[in-house]
């Protein structure tokens, strides 16, 4: 039953990457049933955390927070639940962002980052997403200098990941560029959004360009006085 739950969670992740939220949710619920049958508390918590993400995607923010609060409390009582706790904290930070609670978002981001003092290769994308959330939250609180430092750290992390880092982080780069633009950091925004655009265009197919990135990049160029 535990093996079945692992496989079902992996398949759910695949459906998520393809944008099929319905199939993802069905598999997560099946995975939770398998985890209960296996009496595996970590797998149960992992499934609960994933189901909270489903509520987040459906914009049911209060419901997502309630689920996450309960799951995080249970995970904190286990000695080997750091990975599950990391997932839940990152998701709750997103929920706080959606609820316009920047201080709570920063607290969860910081707690999640402390669980990755030396990120493994597969964790760098999570680090970038967390830094993006932290930078946006700091900017919303008017802590612009700290927000800029966070975005600089985000870029350093993307560089550390190499070419793969650029291609897998177009959306976080777009978000970071848009946030930098909002706090008046036009030159930095042009740099960040330009990198995201260059990566989007690398395939040579215009319909592959992320529309939000294209729009933000055009606005950044306009504010920088580069009209041509």
């Amino acid at each position: 039953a535990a093996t079945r739950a692992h496989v079902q969670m992996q398949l759910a992740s695949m459906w998520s990457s393809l944008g099929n939220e319905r199939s993802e949710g069905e598999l997560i619920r099946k995975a939770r049933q398998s985890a209960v049958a296996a009496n595996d508390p970590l797998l149960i918590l992992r499934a609960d955390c994933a189901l909270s993400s489903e509520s987040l995607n459906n914009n049911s923010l209060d419901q997502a927070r309630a689920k996450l609060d309960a799951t995080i409390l249970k995970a904190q009582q286990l000695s080997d639940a750091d990975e599950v706790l990391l997932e839940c904290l990152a998701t709750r930070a997103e929920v706080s962002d959606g609820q316009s609670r920047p201080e709570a978002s920063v607290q969860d981001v910081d707690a999640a980052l402390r669980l990755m003092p030396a990120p493994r290769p597969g964790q760098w994308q999570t680090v970038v997403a967390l830094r993006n959330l932290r930078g946006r939250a700091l900017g919303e609180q008017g802590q612009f200098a700290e927000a800029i430092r966070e975005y600089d750290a985000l870029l350093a992390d993307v560089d550390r990941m190499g070419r793969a880092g650029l291609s897998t982080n177009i959306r976080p780069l777009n978000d970071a560029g848009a946030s930098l633009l909002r706090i008046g950091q036009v030159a930095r925004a042009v740099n960040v959004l330009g990198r995201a655009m260059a990566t989007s265009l690398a395939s040579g197919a215009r319909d592959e360009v992320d529309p939000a990135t294209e729009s933000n990049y055009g606005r950044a160029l306009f504010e920088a006085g580069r009209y041509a």
Side-chain angles (χ1 to χ4, degrees):
T3 300
R4 187 185 306 115
H6 279 293
V7 172
Q8 288 166 332
M9 290 296 294
Q10 289 173 349
L11 289 172
S13 180
M14 291 174 61
W15 280 120
S16 175
S17 65
L18 294 172
N20 191 325
E21 294 178 359
R22 180 178 178 181
S23 295
E24 177 195 8
E26 289 175 353
L27 278 165
I28 292 171
R29 278 182 277 276
K30 289 179 180 178
R32 193 185 192 285
Q33 291 173 356
S34 299
V36 170
N39 194 28
D40 189 322
L42 280 178
L43 275 174
I44 294 171
L45 290 178
R46 185 182 171 200
D48 286 342
C49 184
L51 288 171
S52 301
S53 294
E54 184 182 41
S55 296
L56 170 61
N57 293 335
N58 292 333
N59 208 33
S60 302
L61 300 182
D62 291 339
Q63 184 181 61
R65 175 171 289 280
K67 290 179 180 178
L68 287 163
D69 287 347
T71 305
I72 287 171
L73 183 61
K74 292 175 184 177
Q76 288 172 333
Q77 295 170 354
L78 298 176
S79 60
D80 54 350
D82 280 2
E83 288 194 14
V84 174
L85 186 57
L86 171 59
E87 292 176 19
C88 291
L89 287 167
T91 303
R92 194 168 67 178
E94 289 188 64
V95 171
S96 295
D97 181 58
Q99 293 179 318
S100 299
R101 297 174 60 179
E103 291 183 4
S105 185
V106 168
Q107 288 175 358
D108 280 340
V109 167
D110 288 347
L113 289 172
R114 283 195 295 270
L115 293 172
M116 295 184 291
R120 300 189 302 272
Q123 291 181 321
W124 281 110
Q125 192 169 353
T126 300
V127 173
V128 168
L130 288 169
R131 288 201 186 284
N132 183 44
L133 279 171
R134 193 175 194 278
R136 183 161 61 240
L138 290 168
E140 289 176 1
Q141 294 179 81
Q143 300 179 43
F144 300 135
E146 286 191 41
I148 292 166
R149 282 195 292 272
E150 199 65 41
Y151 287 126
D152 286 344
L154 181 154
L155 287 177
D157 290 338
V158 170
D159 288 340
R160 189 179 287 108
M161 295 169 69
R163 181 68 185 173
L166 280 173
S167 62
T168 57
N169 287 300
I170 291 174
R171 289 300 176 89
L173 285 171
N174 170 60
D175 289 347
S179 295
L180 286 165
L181 201 56
R182 281 196 298 272
I183 63 177
Q185 294 293 310
V186 178
R188 276 187 168 90
V190 168
N191 174 43
V192 173
L193 292 165
R195 294 172 70 177
M197 276 293 295
T199 306
S200 294
L201 290 166
S203 65
R206 186 168 180 78
D207 59 0
E208 292 294 324
V209 177
D210 179 56
T213 300
E214 189 172 27
S215 174
N216 285 327
Y217 186 49
R219 187 159 60 93
L221 289 174
F222 182 85
E223 293 197 19
R226 293 161 60 179
Y227 310 119

